[in-house]
Amino acid sequence: MDEPGLDLAHTVALGSIDDEDHAAVVAVLGTAAREEFLTEVRGSRAALAALSEVTAATPPPALRARLLDAIAPERDTAS
């Protein structure tokens, strides 16, 4: 993966690409390295999904109530 811009595949997989890097990604997608880039994005996403399955935890029961209380003022004004 020596092509400039291919290192951004992990950033794309994380969904954390900024406007500045977006142009570099678009440029890579227009080259012969496109398939390698997309394969790297898919691989990174698969690894992240596997990691999330292994590390998933049930939240404490009180968390739902605290979150609903925290957003209650926002819900009231959105109506």
Side-chain angles (χ1 to χ4, degrees), residues 33-70:
R34 179 180 196 271
E35 284 308 311
E36 185 179 0
F37 181 87
L38 294 175
T39 298
E40 195 67 28
V41 170
R42 286 190 291 272
S44 293
R45 285 182 176 159
L48 290 168
L51 178 64
S52 70
E53 287 180 23
V54 172
T55 59
T58 303
L63 179 60
R64 184 180 189 321
R66 287 197 319 259
L67 288 173
L68 290 175
D69 286 344

